[in-house]
């Protein structure tokens, strides 16, 4: 798809196709082979397109890779680019931006702020979910909700609070 969209001089769609390849590798067994510079390039190119949600997802993915590799400053720079999306756009994008904000706050040692960001993201997902009927869209919001809840649970475990662990597990 990347080659075909490039051949057709459709750079925005080629960027989305590059992201699809990157996301597949990120979620698969060869995650460790995903290059951080490649992920940064894909995120930067997507940001110049009309695909704001895909660009945000690419930035979050890049930040997660950077955090896994101990590149905190790179991760924080990526997450800071997503943060402003918390206040505008579709609910799914705002919730993802709150997830990015939680990761950013956590990477800076602010676990209380991270928990507040996770709770805000969950509230947005839940409010949005209440308005939906289509099963495929509900499944997407369930995945978003799970990722937010897992981050909250991870923070609770790291804090050593049994009460908070039970709350997040619920």
């Amino acid at each position: 798809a990347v080659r075909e969209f490039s051949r057709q001089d459709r750079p925005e769609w080629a960027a989305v196709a590059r992201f699809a390849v990157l996301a597949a590798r990120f979620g698969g067994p060869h995650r460790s082979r995903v290059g951080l510079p490649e992920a940064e390039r894909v995120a930067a190119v997507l940001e110049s397109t009309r695909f704001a949600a895909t660009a945000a997802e690419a930035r979050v993915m890049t930040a997660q890779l950077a955090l896994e590799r101990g590149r905190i400053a790179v991760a924080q720079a990526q997450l800071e680019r997503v943060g402003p999306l918390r206040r505008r756009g579709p609910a799914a994008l705002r919730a993802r931006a709150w997830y990015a904000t939680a990761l950013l706050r956590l990477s800076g040692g602010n676990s209380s702020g991270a928990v507040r960001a996770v709770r805000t993201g969950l509230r947005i997902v839940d409010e949005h979910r209440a308005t939906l009927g289509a099963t495929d869209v509900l499944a997407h919001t369930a995945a978003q909700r799970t990722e937010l809840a897992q981050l909250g649970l991870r923070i609770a475990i790291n804090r050593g609070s049994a009460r908070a662990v039970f709350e997040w597990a619920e």
Side-chain angles (χ1 to χ4, degrees), residues 18-67:
R18 279 188 189 88
F19 172 74
V21 170
L22 185 68
R25 289 181 26 223
F26 179 81
H30 304 294
R31 183 178 180 133
S32 64
R33 289 194 241 165
V34 177
L36 192 53
E38 176 189 5
E40 288 177 291
R41 277 192 304 276
V42 168
V45 170
L46 279 168
E47 199 168 62
S48 68
T49 71
R50 60 192 158 114
F51 300 107
T54 307
E57 190 58 41
R59 293 243 178 243
V60 170
M61 189 182 310
T62 301
Q64 289 172 318
L65 285 171
L67 288 170

Side-chain angles (χ1 to χ4, degrees), residues 101-118:
T101 298
L103 287 177
L104 178 62
R105 290 175 181 174
L106 191 58
S107 72
N110 181 0
S111 62
S112 295
V115 168
R116 284 191 303 276
V118 168

